[in-house]
Every structure is written in C-alpha cells, then in structure tokens.
Amino acid sequence: MTEEQKQQEKTQTEWAAENSGGASNSADDASEAVASDEWGHQGKVQDAPREASLEESGPTATAEPTAAPENPDASPEEFMAMEALVQANQAFTIQLEELKSQYARLAADFDNFRKRTQKEKLELEAQAKCATIRELLSVVDNFERAKEQIKPQNDGEMNLHKSYLSVYKQMVESLKRIGVSAMYPKGEEFDPNFHEAVMREPTREYAEGIVTDEFRRGYMLGDRVLRHALVKVAAAPEDDEETPTSETPDSPQE
C-alpha cells in the first residue's frame, strides 16, 4: 500500500470518528432536550393553577387528580369530628332543655312556697288578732249590761254614766276600725254557722226557725266568726199545751 493510500485511509478514519462523536453528541443533546422538555412540562403542570384546563396543562396533566383534597387521609377524621360535635350539640341541647324544665319547676315550687307561706302568715296573724279581740269582748259585754241596767237618778250618777259610756264608745270605734262588726240576729232565720241556739220557744208570732231573742251578742271579724250569738229560736206551737216550753237543741259550739 502506498503512502498516499495510507493517508487517505487515515483521513477517512478520522472523518468517520468525528461524525460518530457528533452523532453521539447530537443524541446526548437530544436526550437532554427531551429531559428538559419533560421536566419543564411537569414544572408547568405543577406551577399551573388548579383552574387551568386540560388543554393548557398538556397531556400528562390528565393523570393528576385535580379534585383531590390536600390531605385526603384527614377527611374521615374530620367527618368523625363533625359527627362528634353534632352529637355533643344534641346532648347539650337536651341537657339545656332539662335544666330549663328543672328551673321552671323550681320557680313554680318557690312561687307556691311563697304563696303558702304568705297565706300561713296571714292566717296566723288573723288567729292572733281573733284571740286578742275575744278577750276584749267580755269587757264590751259588761259595758252593755251596765248601759241597760243602770238608770241614773241624779246629776252625779248621770256624769258617771256618761263617763263609762264614752269609754265604751271609744272601744267600739276602735274595734270597728280593725274590722269587727256586731251581729243582729233577731228576726233572722237561724243559721248554725253564726248562731248558737240555747232555747226553742213554740210561738205563733214568728215562723219556725226564726230567731226571736238574743241572749249574748255575736261578733264578726271580716268574714270570720269571732263569737257565735246566743239566741232563742221559734218553734212550731203545740195545741195541747197552753204554756210555752223551752228546749235546748244541738248546735255547734264556738
């Protein structure tokens, strides 16, 4: 082989080597370009907003779950927490209604207790007042007996008579101011709630059961009986008896 042929073969060999290296470099560049394109595409998909359409995101965006939550594992826990809150709210609501009902019952019981206590207080005051006034009624009775029986004969006796009558009138006015009133049963029908019959007299002057006379005056304090009136009651006349007889019927005692 001549020197010229060797030189040409060497030249061809170098040219082939250069072309092979360039192809390799081109392949590497192409590989890098593809890698760069794929990375850039993914970056675009990642950087793109969630509202972007599939056409703008590229073909690989279809594989991404666009509607998935940020933390899908916490969703059941949140649901259970919400259920627990709802149940707790219902329990608190029931407890609140029970407390309201209990408060209403306590308020009603307290109101009833207050009314009952007030009523008992008024009843005790009335009983104490009645007991005190009953003790004074005997004094009033003595003044009335003196008024009926004493007949003044001179000026001195008249002055004495007027003196105790003034005291009597003052006492009567005081009793009236606190609500005491006298009974006048004569001519009325006998009522065991207000009268106490000590005698029954057959008579034609009054109808049977009518009070004909009063032996002791009765008194009232408002609508409460302080003392029953002692009375005589008319009975049906008996033809076979010329003189009236008296009987003592059963009647409620004070």
Side-chain angles (χ1 to χ4, degrees), residues 115-133:
K115 292 179 179 179
R116 184 172 61 253
T117 303
Q118 185 68 18
K119 184 177 179 181
E120 292 176 355
K121 180 181 178 182
L122 294 176
E123 182 67 22
L124 289 175
E125 291 178 355
Q127 291 179 2
K129 185 184 293 186
C130 290
T132 303
I133 295 174

Side-chain angles (χ1 to χ4, degrees), residues 23-221:
S24 176
N25 292 334
S26 298
D28 293 339
D29 294 339
S31 176
E32 291 177 359
V34 171
S36 178
D37 290 342
E38 291 178 357
W39 182 264
H41 178 69
Q42 292 178 357
K44 289 181 180 180
V45 172
Q46 294 176 356
D47 295 337
R50 297 185 178 211
E51 294 81 2
S53 62
L54 295 176
E55 294 179 356
E56 295 176 355
S57 300
T60 56
T62 57
E64 296 291 335
T66 56
E70 294 181 0
N71 192 1
D73 295 337
S75 179
E77 296 178 356
E78 292 178 357
F79 178 77
M80 293 176 64
M82 289 297 295
E83 288 292 333
L85 288 175
V86 171
Q87 294 178 0
N89 186 25
Q90 293 177 353
F92 287 144
T93 302
I94 295 173
Q95 186 178 5
L96 178 61
E97 293 298 329
E98 292 178 353
L99 291 176
K100 286 183 178 180
S101 178
Q102 184 179 3
Y103 172 77
R105 290 195 298 269
L106 289 175
D109 291 341
F110 177 76
D111 187 58
N112 293 333
F113 171 75
R114 181 181 58 81
K115 292 179 179 179
R116 184 172 61 253
T117 303
Q118 185 68 18
K119 184 177 179 181
E120 292 176 355
K121 180 181 178 182
L122 294 176
E123 182 67 22
L124 289 175
E125 291 178 355
Q127 291 179 2
K129 185 184 293 186
C130 290
T132 303
I133 295 174
R134 287 193 189 99
E135 295 298 325
L136 297 176
L137 294 180
S138 58
V139 179
V140 176
D141 293 339
N142 292 331
F143 275 115
E144 290 180 349
R145 292 191 188 99
K147 179 182 176 181
E148 293 177 357
Q149 295 177 3
I150 296 178
K151 305 298 181 181
Q153 300 296 328
N154 51 46
D155 294 339
E157 293 180 356
M158 180 61 66
N159 292 332
L160 181 62
H161 182 69
K162 290 179 179 180
S163 298
Y164 74 78
L165 283 182
S166 63
V167 177
Y168 166 69
K169 290 179 181 180
Q170 184 178 1
M171 180 173 288
V172 170
E173 293 297 327
S174 299
L175 292 175
K176 286 181 179 180
R177 282 195 296 269
I178 61 178
V180 178
S181 60
M183 298 181 188
Y184 297 94
K186 189 174 181 179
E188 297 181 356
E189 185 177 359
F190 175 79
D191 188 349
N193 295 318
F194 304 99
H195 310 144
E196 181 178 350
V198 296
M199 182 181 295
R200 290 177 63 89
E201 181 181 11
T203 179
R204 299 181 183 275
E205 185 178 357
Y206 295 95
E208 184 179 4
I210 300 299
V211 176
T212 61
D213 198 1
E214 178 185 32
F215 298 105
R216 189 187 67 181
R217 181 163 295 176
Y219 291 91
M220 301 279 295
L221 178 61

Side-chain angles (χ1 to χ4, degrees), residues 217-236:
R217 181 163 295 176
Y219 291 91
M220 301 279 295
L221 178 61
D223 56 352
R224 186 189 299 266
V225 177
L226 280 174
R227 189 177 71 181
H228 289 76
L230 298 181
V231 297
K232 179 169 64 173
V233 183

